[in-house]
């Protein structure tokens, strides 16, 4: 009995949350300022589990913040700066109204500003934390740097973004850390591996902007403000790790080379250095002049058993990566004016190629078209008038596909005027059993080091071979139970046909039963194995059997789907081929 | 007057006459029409004769006489021009002789000037200091000394003091440059942490120490990646099947949207039965006018029911029987429960089965709930008045796919993609553009001029 009556909404979740308006009033800020503060400090709204309890019985949709977060915001020194700025604006308006021009000038000189350094340090206590969160910053800065300087946002912001992105690209070029590129209809996706972190970012195509109206530019500008600060500090640190001078400087050798005659015509003095940096054609100056970064080798420890295997795998991986870094080394490229210069120059430089372009296209081209040592010229037009004999004329997709395939692809498919093979996304990773498009299969075969299909052969034969390859792949995928029977059938089939068919032999896929007694032995062994398996299945517990059946069912389903897709694809190709033939016939 | 006029005419007619004011004459000569006046009266002569040009001429003559001592046209060339032979001598004698030629009053110097003039025959003493410097020796020695000290690196006291002076307050309070200043410097933010030497309690109390950021704030509000890569069908030169898959996806979205629209339309449609027909209209008009006899019947029935409800008193016998029935039924019930319980012993297996089934169900539900919670982590939450609406899928139709990179027409906007991605990751709440709302109604007033026409 007795005691005070408990009031509703005075404890529990009702006190853990605070509505946005209340928070705003508590901080004495306008809504715009409050929003900006939350973005800068990384405090996001929160959806409570029981809205009605939090909202004091009302079910009206509101924006809630955690009360503790807002209390934390109260200690932020920037809040005071916001208030100061508010007062500054008021005073300025008053001075304007009274036409006190000296007063206006004085106020302008003492305009309050704020720094975000401490916030960055607070949000990202270590460098790696910051690096993990750089995806957003990169995409945003690349986006803002492509904006026209027309007053949608501050010109200064655009310039700063441009500077930071150029610094980043130079870092990636110098560290050779680019891994994947994907040309999408939206923009270009890049992926780089920096200090062990995979970093993905999106770069819009140049001149592709229509400014959407339903985007809040103020919010975006605030994010950019925070991200530029973060990005700059990260850049500084990254340059430090490579012993590069920050802000980046061109190599003294390169700088003298790039001294163009009509530099003034191209850009103002203040801008020309940034432009030269953004050309990406020259290497950067280092703090301590070293010949080349020494090969960093894995430390070798004496290990046993599994560790050793892991070790070997790791070594192999690293070797592959090293090879990938030198993908285009020794090649000399020339970019025609119709190809996207910046992305191509960036990618080519990332893999050690030399790049140049027309003098009128951009500053920083190092050699002319007429240079005899050029190995590849990248062209994106139907045909060229004047062609040099000792270089390949290829379409830009070759570069992107080669990077994704981690090898120099055969240039024949990418010659001037040919229909390009599809540009596959490198971000898709197929699990085994999934449908793999034939182009990718071909590519994988190439990567394994198999020779591409002979060119002299007729199209028809080529197709047959491809089909067979596909069949083989399917076989791999099929259930192990079915394989044996299938193999037998196939064997019979091939025997009936004789060995006239040009079957391509892939290493590791020898069909041993075709070779006499040894073959029989192997076959017996296989049969034995199958028998064992069957017995094992029979001996399974009910529960396990159920699970096993389920797995098998799933596998079968995927194979069925794959088969369906391949059949579809074949039908599609046949249709397109017949169309082509008809066209040819018509032409003739 | 007439004489003057003639003189003027004569002078002006002379070919060599030069006037001081170049523009004065020509303007007046061509000015407009002459007024027609009777000239037979002397009064009119004075009144209407235009003598302005004459007066101007005379003014000019007077000015020339005043300024140059005679008409310029009559002067010899030597007095007007001179041969420029370079710099003149420094000392120019006071122009006393020149005055002789013109009028006396002009050329004579003022008396006060004459009084002040140096009239002694003794020449003024030579200015020695023009060539000498007082204390030259001392000064030279000092300079030499200073030079020697400077070579040794010793600064004079004055300079030292200047250097030692504290920088002005305004200089020390350097202006914080804006955050978007393009050439802003960066430094190693995560470099060696400067250990604070001061007493932590002091720092805390004086508000100099930052409040520690709660760990929970560093967790992201969503598990989605910052940059979601578009499906493989979004390649600029896609593989056929992945492109078809993407198209199918876009198609499904569109179908769903259409269905929602259709539903709304269906709900808004007018029901045929609700419309008034002639019959219903007539019924409405007649309503209440025609008396119905049914009502009376109902009332009668009611009365009869009420009458039937009146009960007679139970007899003792009836009561006894009822009591016995009740006890009997209770006993029966108890017996039933007992046998059921006994039977349950034999139902053990099925009970166990139901229990198991129940447990299984709970387990499944727990798993489901967990999966839902996992899925919710990557879902956009309801953060405000509006729900998150995903942006349209970027898709290029089969005939829009470009043959080469050059002819590619980018689809969608990266800016919007970024914005929506932030909304999707619960970083900002979805909002709509603030609508312009007029405080007061606009008054429409026709202008009077316009009203007259219409």
């Amino acid at each position: 009995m007795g005691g005070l009556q408990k009031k509703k909404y005075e404890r529990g979740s009702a006190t853990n949350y605070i509505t946005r308006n209340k928070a705003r009033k508590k901080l004495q800020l306008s809504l715009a300022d409050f929003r900006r503060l939350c973005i800068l400090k990384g405090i996001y709204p929160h959806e409570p589990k029981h809205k009605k309890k939090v909202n004091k019985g009302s079910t009206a949709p509101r924006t809630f913040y955690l009360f503790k977060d807002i209390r934390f915001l109260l200690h932020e020194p920037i809040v005071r700066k916001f208030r100061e700025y508010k007062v500054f604006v008021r005073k300025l308006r008053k001075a304007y109204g009274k036409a006190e021009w000296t007063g206006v000038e004085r106020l302008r000189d003492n305009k309050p500003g704020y720094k975000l350094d401490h916030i960055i340090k607070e949000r990202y206590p270590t460098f790696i934390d910051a690096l993990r969160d750089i995806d957003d910053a990169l995409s945003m800065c690349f986006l803002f740097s492509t904006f026209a300087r027309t007053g949608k946002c501050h010109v200064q912001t655009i310039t700063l973004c441009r500077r930071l992105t150029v610094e980043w690209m130079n870092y990636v070029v110098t560290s050779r850390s680019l891994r994947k590129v994907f040309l999408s209809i939206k923009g270009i996706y890049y992926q780089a591996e920096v200090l062990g972190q995979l970093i993905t970012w999106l770069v819009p195509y140049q001149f592709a902007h229509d400014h959407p109206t339903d985007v809040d530019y103020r919010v975006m500008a605030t994010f950019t403000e925070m991200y530029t600060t973060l990005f700059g500090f990260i850049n500084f640190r990254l340059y430090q790790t490579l012993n590069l001078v920050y802000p980046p400087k061109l190599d003294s050798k390169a700088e003298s080379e790039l001294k163009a005659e009509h530099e003034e015509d191209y850009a103002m003095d203040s801008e020309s250095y940034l432009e030269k940096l953004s050309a990406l054609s020259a290497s950067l100056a280092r703090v301590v002049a070293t010949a080349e970064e020494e090969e960093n080798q894995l430390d070798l420890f004496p290990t046993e058993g599994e560790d050793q295997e892991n070790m070997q795998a790791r070594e192999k991986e690293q070797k592959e990566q090293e090879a990938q870094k030198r993908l285009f080394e020794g090649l000399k490229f020339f970019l025609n004016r119709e190809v996207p210069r910046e992305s191509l120059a960036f990618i080519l430089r990332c893999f050690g190629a030399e790049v140049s372009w027309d003098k009128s296209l951009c500053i920083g081209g190092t050699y002319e078209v007429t240079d005899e040592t050029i190995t590849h010229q990248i062209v994106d037009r139907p045909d060229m008038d004047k062609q040099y004999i000792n270089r390949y004329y290829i379409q830009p997709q070759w570069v992107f596909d080669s990077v994704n395939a981690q090898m120099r692809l055969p240039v024949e498919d990418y010659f001037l005027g040919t229909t390009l093979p599809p540009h596959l996304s490198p971000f898709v990773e197929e699990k085994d059993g999934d449908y793999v498009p034939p182009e990718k299969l071909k590519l994988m075969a190439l990567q394994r080091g198999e020779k591409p299909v002979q060119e002299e052969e007729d199209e028809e034969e080529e197709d047959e071979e491809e089909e067979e390859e596909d069949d083989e792949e399917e076989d791999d995928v099929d259930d192990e139970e079915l394989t044996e029977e299938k193999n037998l059938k196939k064997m019979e089939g091939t025997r009936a046909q004789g060995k006239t068919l040009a079957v391509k032999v892939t290493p590791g896929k020898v069909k041993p039963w075709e070779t006499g007694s040894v073959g029989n032995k192997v076959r017996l062994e296989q049969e034995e194995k199958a028998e064992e398996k069957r017995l094992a299945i029979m001996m399974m517990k009910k529960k396990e059997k159920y699970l096993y059946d389920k797995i098998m069912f799933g596998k079968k389903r995927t194979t069925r789907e794959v088969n369906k897709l391949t059949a579809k694809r074949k039908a599609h190709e046949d249709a397109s081929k017949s169309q082509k033939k008809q066209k040819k016939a018509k032409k003739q | 007057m007439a004489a003057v006029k003639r003189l003027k005419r004569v002078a002006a007619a002379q070919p060599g006459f030069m006037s001081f004011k170049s523009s004065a004459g020509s303007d007046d000569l061509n000015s407009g029409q002459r007024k027609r006046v009777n000239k037979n009266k002397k009064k009119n002569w004075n009144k209407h004769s235009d003598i302005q040009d004459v007066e101007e001429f005379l003014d000019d003559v007077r000015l020339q006489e005043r300024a140059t001592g005679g008409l310029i046209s009559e002067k010899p060339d030597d007095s007007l021009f001179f041969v420029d032979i370079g710099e003149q001598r420094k000392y120019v004698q006071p122009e006393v002789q020149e005055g002789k030629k013109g009028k006396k009053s002009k050329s004579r110097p003022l008396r006060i000037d004459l009084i002040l003039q140096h009239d002694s025959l003794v020449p003024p003493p030579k200015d020695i200091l023009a060539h000498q410097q007082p204390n030259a020796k001392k000064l030279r020695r000092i300079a030499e000394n200073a030079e020697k000290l400077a070579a040794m690196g010793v600064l004079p006291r004055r300079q030292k003091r200047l250097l030692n002076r504290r920088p002005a307050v305004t200089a020390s309070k350097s202006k914080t440059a804006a955050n978007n200043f393009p050439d802003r410097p960066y430094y190693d933010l995560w470099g060696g942490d400067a250990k604070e030497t001061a007493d932590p309690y002091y720092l805390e109390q004086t508000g100099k120490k930052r409040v520690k950021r709660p760990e929970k704030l560093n967790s992201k509000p969503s598990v989605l990646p910052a940059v979601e890569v578009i499906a493989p069908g979004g390649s600029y030169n896609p593989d056929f099947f992945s492109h078809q898959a993407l198209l199918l996806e876009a198609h499904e979205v569109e179908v769903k949207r259409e269905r929602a629209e259709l539903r709304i339309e269906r709900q808004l449609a007018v029901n045929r039965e609700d419309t008034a027909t002639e019959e219903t209209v007539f019924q409405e008009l007649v309503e209440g006018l025609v008396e119905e006899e049914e009502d009376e019947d109902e009332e009668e029935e009611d009365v009869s029911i009420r009458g039937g409800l009146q009960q007679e008193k139970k007899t003792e016998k009836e009561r006894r029987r009822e009591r016995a029935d009740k006890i009997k039924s209770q006993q029966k019930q108890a017996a039933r429960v007992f046998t059921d319980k006994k039977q349950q012993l034999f139902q053990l297996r099925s009970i166990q089965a139901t229990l198991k089934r129940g447990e299984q169900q709970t387990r499944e539900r727990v798993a489901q709930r967990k999966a839902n919670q996992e899925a919710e982590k990557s879902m956009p939450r309801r953060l405000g008045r509006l729900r998150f609406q995903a942006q349209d899928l970027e898709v290029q139709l089969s005939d829009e796919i470009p043959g080469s990179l050059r002819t590619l027409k980018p689809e969608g906007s990266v800016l919007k993609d970024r914005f929506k991605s932030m909304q999707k990751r619960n970083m900002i709440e979805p909002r709509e553009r603030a609508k312009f709302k007029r405080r007061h109604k606009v008054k429409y007033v026709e202008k009077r001029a316009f009203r007259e026409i219409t």
Side-chain angles (χ1 to χ4, degrees):
Chain A
M1 284 288 291
L4 285 172
Q5 193 185 1
K6 274 183 195 167
K7 278 185 187 163
K8 254 182 167 180
Y9 314 123
E10 279 196 340
R11 61 182 70 200
S13 53
T15 49
N16 290 339
Y17 287 91
I18 185 171
T19 61
R20 190 181 64 188
N21 216 28
K22 270 199 185 141
R24 196 185 62 76
K25 274 182 185 149
K26 201 177 178 73
L27 288 164
Q28 300 175 24
L29 290 173
S30 69
L31 182 56
D33 277 343
F34 175 73
R35 197 168 270 146
R36 193 179 310 148
L37 182 70
C38 283
I39 288 171
L40 294 177
K41 288 285 278 185
I43 284 169
Y44 308 115
H46 206 273
E47 188 188 29
K49 235 178 203 162
H50 303 288
K51 268 189 185 166
K52 209 167 161 187
K53 273 184 199 167
V54 172
N55 214 354
K56 311 239 159 89
S58 154
T59 49
R62 286 215 175 91
T63 309
F64 291 101
Y65 287 86
L66 285 170
F67 188 76
K68 278 184 182 170
D69 292 1
I70 300 301
R71 213 165 48 195
F72 170 64
L73 277 185
L74 281 171
H75 297 288
E76 180 53 46
I78 278 189
V79 177
R80 208 171 55 228
K81 295 281 180 194
F82 281 159
R83 291 185 200 136
E84 266 173 31
Y85 192 81
K86 194 177 68 184
V87 174
F88 159 76
V89 169
R90 198 169 57 210
K91 280 181 180 166
L92 196 70
R93 207 189 303 131
K94 206 168 197 175
Y96 254 117
K98 289 181 172 178
E100 289 168 347
W101 305 121
T102 49
V104 167
E105 210 161 284
R106 178 176 49 78
L107 284 169
R108 277 263 165 80
D109 285 345
N110 295 322
K111 185 179 173 181
Y114 57 88
K115 285 266 164 228
L116 297 175
D117 305 4
H118 67 277
I119 290 184
I120 300 291
K121 179 79 199 255
E122 179 192 285
R123 285 182 67 171
Y124 307 104
T126 62
F127 174 59
I128 287 294
D129 289 335
L131 199 61
R132 263 183 214 138
D133 216 25
I134 203 186
D135 291 16
D136 252 330
L138 269 170
S139 300
M140 204 69 134
C141 284
F142 269 102
L143 172 67
F144 266 68
S145 65
T146 56
F147 277 177
R149 289 154 166 76
T150 50
K152 277 281 177 197
C153 64
H154 285 291
V155 174
Q156 285 197 320
T157 310
I158 297 171
T159 322
L160 180 61
C161 284
R162 176 78 187 144
R163 174 194 150 191
L164 291 171
T165 51
V166 165
E167 281 168 6
W168 170 259
M169 283 199 288
N170 270 312
Y171 169 77
V172 173
V173 165
T174 320
S175 64
R176 302 216 172 160
S177 41
L178 194 70
R179 292 285 171 272
K180 288 173 183 173
V181 201
F182 180 44
L183 291 170
S184 79
I185 49 175
K186 215 193 272 183
I188 307 175
Y189 289 91
Y190 294 95
Q191 192 173 61
E193 194 182 341
V194 178
L195 303 180
Q197 304 292 330
L198 278 180
I199 292 166
T200 317
W201 72 97
L202 171 63
V203 180
Y205 289 110
Q206 237 168 351
F207 317 123
H209 280 298
D210 53 332
H211 282 286
T213 49
D214 49 353
V215 171
D216 193 342
Y217 277 82
R218 206 154 44 163
V219 165
M220 298 304 263
T222 313
F223 271 112
T224 313
E225 189 182 5
M226 209 265 294
Y227 286 144
T228 48
T229 315
L230 167 70
F231 195 10
F233 287 126
I234 288 177
N235 270 351
F236 185 94
R237 189 66 181 253
L238 287 175
Y239 271 68
Q240 239 184 7
T241 57
L242 283 191
N243 258 343
L244 295 168
V245 181
Y246 189 91
K249 286 218 164 51
L250 294 175
D251 225 349
S252 55
K253 193 179 81 188
E255 197 163 1
S256 58
E257 270 175 20
L258 281 182
K259 213 53 166 192
E261 294 138 41
H262 307 294
E263 211 169 88
E264 308 82 46
D265 300 343
Y266 185 74
M268 288 192 295
D269 279 348
S270 56
E271 287 173 346
S272 78
Y273 204 78
L274 181 64
E275 289 292 329
K276 269 189 223 162
L277 276 174
S278 69
L280 297 169
S281 60
S283 49
L284 298 180
R286 286 173 190 272
V287 177
V288 188
T290 49
E292 266 298 304
E293 68 248 60
E294 63 279 5
E295 299 285 304
N296 48 344
Q297 285 190 338
L298 274 180
D299 297 336
L300 284 174
F301 299 108
T303 48
E304 293 162 16
E306 265 184 48
D307 281 355
Q308 204 158 13
E309 274 177 21
N310 280 342
M311 199 69 168
Q312 278 170 354
R314 224 175 300 152
E315 256 176 40
K316 198 181 161 196
E317 205 171 275
Q318 203 183 6
K319 252 182 204 168
E320 271 175 13
Q321 265 190 10
E322 283 298 315
Q324 198 201 346
K325 279 179 185 174
R326 292 160 193 284
L327 184 60
F328 294 140
E329 212 145 81
L331 300 185
K332 231 172 162 182
F333 285 84
F334 190 85
L335 308 182
N336 250 24
R337 55 168 62 255
E338 69 271 11
V339 300
R341 188 203 68 85
E342 195 170 285
S343 64
L344 273 172
F346 172 55
I347 292 164
L348 290 172
R349 292 281 302 151
C350 273
F351 295 96
E354 276 182 86
V355 200
S356 181
W357 44 83
D358 198 70
K359 215 171 21 189
S360 59
L361 181 61
C362 184
I363 206 167
T366 42
Y367 44 85
E368 300 277 321
V369 208
T370 50
D371 197 334
E372 292 287 331
T373 53
I374 292 174
T375 55
H376 294 72
Q377 183 162 349
I378 298 183
V379 176
D380 197 1
R381 52 175 86 173
D383 59 336
M384 290 273 285
D385 294 337
K386 193 186 170 192
Q387 293 198 359
Y388 289 82
I389 251 177
N390 58 350
R391 66 176 78 154
Y392 294 120
Y393 286 84
I394 47 174
Q395 301 193 39
Q397 199 187 317
W398 181 79
V399 177
F400 299 104
D401 282 351
S402 298
V403 168
N404 292 338
Q406 307 184 356
M407 61 179 295
R408 288 184 207 168
L409 292 176
V411 284
E412 289 85 18
D413 297 340
Y414 299 89
F415 273 153
L416 201 62
T418 52
T419 312
L420 292 168
H423 178 61
L424 301 173
S425 169
F427 292 96
V428 182
E429 268 150 26
E430 280 100 356
K431 282 169 266 169
D432 49 302
D434 283 351
Y435 169 71
V436 184
E439 287 83 10
K440 187 137 192 182
L441 285 177
K442 224 192 259 179
L443 199 118
M444 268 148 52
L446 272 175
Q447 276 171 347
R448 279 193 303 260
E450 291 165 19
K451 278 271 161 53
V453 182
Q454 291 293 312
E455 286 292 313
E456 307 108 39
E457 284 174 313
D458 289 348
E459 271 187 18
E460 303 276 338
E461 269 180 76
E462 203 180 313
D463 285 351
E464 276 176 19
E465 281 191 1
E466 261 176 46
E467 278 161 33
E468 282 200 358
E469 231 180 84
D470 288 356
D471 286 351
E472 278 169 17
E473 291 286 339
E474 273 172 42
D475 287 356
D476 290 344
V477 161
D478 272 343
D479 309 351
E480 282 175 33
E481 292 165 320
L482 296 177
T483 40
E484 205 196 316
E485 290 165 17
K486 264 199 174 177
N487 280 343
L488 280 172
K489 269 186 190 171
K490 203 173 178 184
M491 185 185 75
E492 279 168 10
T494 44
R495 266 184 192 161
Q497 281 181 349
K499 287 172 190 175
T500 47
L501 242 174
V503 179
K504 207 180 72 178
V505 180
T506 51
K509 290 242 166 132
V510 190
K511 292 165 185 169
W513 50 82
E514 289 184 3
T515 54
S517 59
V518 186
N520 272 334
K521 222 188 224 169
V522 174
R523 196 169 122 197
L524 276 175
E525 235 171 61
Q526 274 189 345
E527 272 175 2
E528 230 167 69
K529 263 187 192 171
E531 188 66 31
E532 268 176 24
K533 200 175 174 186
R534 212 176 297 145
L535 285 174
I537 290 166
M538 276 167 74
M539 288 297 288
M540 263 182 197
K541 277 183 194 166
K542 212 173 175 186
K543 208 170 173 185
E544 284 166 354
K545 176 83 183 354
Y546 175 71
L547 191 69
Y548 178 79
D549 281 347
K550 228 177 177 179
I551 291 169
M552 279 309 163
F553 179 75
K555 267 191 179 175
K556 261 181 202 167
R557 191 173 48 198
T558 46
T559 37
R560 223 182 303 136
E561 272 165 11
V562 166
N563 284 339
K564 213 163 121 192
L565 276 174
T566 36
K568 233 177 164 183
R569 166 87 189 195
K570 206 189 156 205
H572 168 70
E573 263 174 4
D574 284 347
S576 58
K577 203 170 276 170
S578 63
Q579 267 186 357
K580 260 186 207 168
K581 267 181 187 169
Q582 277 179 357
K583 268 185 192 170
K584 263 187 190 173
K586 270 183 190 173
K587 270 182 190 174
Q588 282 168 359
Chain B
M1 192 107 194
V4 172
K5 208 185 249 180
R6 202 184 309 131
L7 177 68
K8 168 208 106 182
R9 290 258 166 80
V10 171
Q14 277 174 357
F17 182 76
M18 297 160 82
S19 76
F20 251 31
K21 295 171 188 167
S22 57
S23 63
S26 60
D27 217 335
D28 292 318
L29 284 172
N30 312 331
S31 61
Q33 280 184 339
R34 186 177 280 172
K35 234 177 188 177
R36 290 198 172 271
V37 215
N38 293 333
K39 287 178 185 167
N40 54 356
K41 280 174 190 161
K42 210 166 190 180
K43 191 178 145 200
N44 280 352
W45 294 1
N46 273 336
K47 207 175 184 180
H48 292 292
S49 59
D50 183 20
I51 56 162
Q52 201 187 349
D53 53 344
V54 180
E55 261 166 8
E56 261 165 23
F57 167 73
L58 287 176
D59 276 348
D60 199 43
V61 168
R62 259 174 250 137
L63 180 67
Q64 285 186 22
E65 270 172 356
R66 227 182 309 139
T68 59
L71 291 174
I72 289 175
S73 54
E74 288 164 1
K75 280 202 168 171
D77 286 354
D78 294 353
S79 68
L80 287 175
F81 306 103
F82 66 95
V83 183
D84 189 358
I85 49 162
E87 218 173 294
Q88 292 263 323
R89 265 190 210 167
K90 254 188 187 174
Y91 183 70
V92 182
Q93 282 207 332
E95 295 168 44
V96 187
Q97 297 103 331
E98 212 183 308
K100 277 176 192 169
K101 215 176 186 181
K103 283 174 184 173
K104 283 176 203 167
S105 60
K106 272 253 157 139
S107 53
R108 196 191 286 159
L110 293 172
R111 185 172 165 74
I112 186 136
D113 289 337
L114 289 175
I115 291 167
L116 285 172
Q117 218 162 31
H118 179 78
D119 61 345
S120 163
L121 288 175
V122 182
K126 236 182 180 177
D127 186 12
I128 300 170
L129 287 181
H131 304 287
Q132 283 187 357
Q133 204 181 359
N135 288 334
K137 208 170 176 184
K138 190 179 164 193
L139 287 175
R140 206 185 316 136
R141 222 182 48 231
I142 288 171
E144 272 171 14
N145 204 9
E147 227 166 78
K148 212 189 283 173
L149 282 175
M152 278 159 66
V154 182
L155 292 169
R157 187 191 282 170
R158 253 181 84 112
Q159 218 164 329
K160 235 188 264 174
R161 203 186 280 165
L162 267 177
L163 283 176
N164 281 344
R165 202 171 62 176
R166 264 196 197 166
V169 183
T170 49
S172 74
K173 195 186 151 194
S174 59
K175 257 174 36 179
T176 42
N179 275 321
N180 56 4
F181 178 58
D183 291 327
R184 61 170 293 184
Y186 291 102
Y187 54 91
D188 193 358
L189 188 69
W190 295 280
D193 287 325
K195 275 280 166 215
E196 271 161 8
T197 48
D199 182 23
Y201 181 73
Y202 165 76
L203 290 175
E204 205 172 291
Q205 290 302 309
T206 48
K208 278 169 186 155
K209 197 178 161 192
R210 284 279 144 66
V211 176
K212 202 172 157 272
R213 186 182 173 90
E215 268 303 307
K216 210 178 167 190
L217 277 183
N218 285 338
S219 62
K220 284 178 187 165
S222 171
V223 292
L224 288 174
V227 180
E228 276 178 294
V229 181
I230 196 169
S235 161
Y236 94 100
N237 182 13
D239 169 46
F240 176 72
F241 280 110
S242 45
H243 183 236
Q244 288 296 319
L246 189 69
L247 277 181
L248 185 70
E249 207 176 315
H251 170 76
E252 264 158 19
V253 170
E254 201 61 31
V255 163
K256 208 181 251 176
R257 195 176 297 161
E258 206 158 84
R259 214 177 285 156
E261 255 171 43
L262 269 181
R263 195 172 58 213
I264 289 174
E265 228 164 74
R266 228 181 302 130
Q267 282 167 352
L268 284 177
V270 184
N271 195 0
R272 278 271 176 79
E273 289 166 12
D274 292 345
T275 49
T277 58
E278 270 178 33
E279 203 177 323
T280 52
V281 168
F282 177 74
Q283 282 241 320
E284 217 175 296
L285 288 175
V286 170
E287 188 74 45
L289 292 179
V290 182
E291 271 190 28
E292 287 164 17
E293 292 171 11
E294 288 167 19
D295 291 348
E296 287 172 14
D297 296 342
E298 273 174 24
E299 273 172 31
E300 280 169 17
E301 273 172 24
D302 278 353
V303 171
S304 70
I305 288 169
R306 241 174 257 150
L309 279 175
Q310 283 178 349
Q311 277 181 352
E312 284 152 41
K313 217 174 177 186
K314 283 181 187 170
T315 58
E316 189 63 24
K317 195 179 170 191
E318 269 177 346
R319 278 179 205 281
R320 214 183 316 123
R321 196 190 298 151
E322 261 178 22
R323 207 177 300 135
D325 279 354
K326 200 175 169 189
I327 288 168
K328 211 175 185 181
S329 71
Q330 272 175 357
Q331 275 172 353
K332 212 175 178 183
Q333 182 75 18
R336 173 101 204 156
V337 168
F338 183 69
T339 44
D340 273 359
K341 263 187 188 164
K342 247 192 347 215
Q343 280 302 315
Q344 270 184 359
L345 200 65
F346 304 110
Q347 287 174 354
L348 257 183
R349 278 174 65 124
S350 74
I351 289 172
Q352 224 155 22
T354 43
L355 272 180
K356 231 180 200 174
R357 218 181 306 135
E359 266 170 20
Q360 173 73 14
Q361 233 169 22
T362 10
R363 234 178 293 133
E364 269 170 16
R365 278 190 194 137
V366 165
Q368 183 64 35
R369 204 175 308 135
K370 273 222 173 112
N372 280 352
Q373 277 169 359
E374 273 312 298
E376 232 169 41
K377 275 182 192 164
S378 62
M379 296 267 270
R381 317 306 303 268
R382 178 88 188 262
L383 293 177
R385 201 165 53 80
L386 298 171
R387 277 176 207 286
F388 170 75
Q389 274 176 331
Q391 84 193 100
D392 297 339
L393 274 178
E394 287 98 350
V395 159
Q396 277 187 331
L397 301 180
S398 305
D399 53 345
E400 286 172 342
I401 293 175
S404 73
L405 195 56
R406 179 171 49 90
T407 50
L408 168 70
K409 195 163 166 282
E411 196 77 22
S413 155
V414 177
L415 182 68
K416 194 164 180 189
D417 169 68
R418 295 281 78 220
F419 188 64
K420 284 285 178 189
S421 155
M422 274 163 186
Q423 285 188 348
K424 201 174 176 188
R425 282 180 287 148
N426 301 324
M427 291 165 86
I428 42 180
E429 73 272 17
R431 282 194 308 154
E432 61 185 0
R433 212 186 163 91
K435 278 170 203 145
F436 174 68
K437 214 171 178 187
R438 212 176 271 288
R439 267 256 193 93
H440 305 288
K441 228 163 97 185
V442 177
K443 243 183 210 169
Y444 179 72
V445 182
E446 220 171 45
K447 274 188 181 171
R448 191 182 287 167
F450 186 71
R451 200 162 48 197
E452 276 167 6
I453 297 167
T454 56

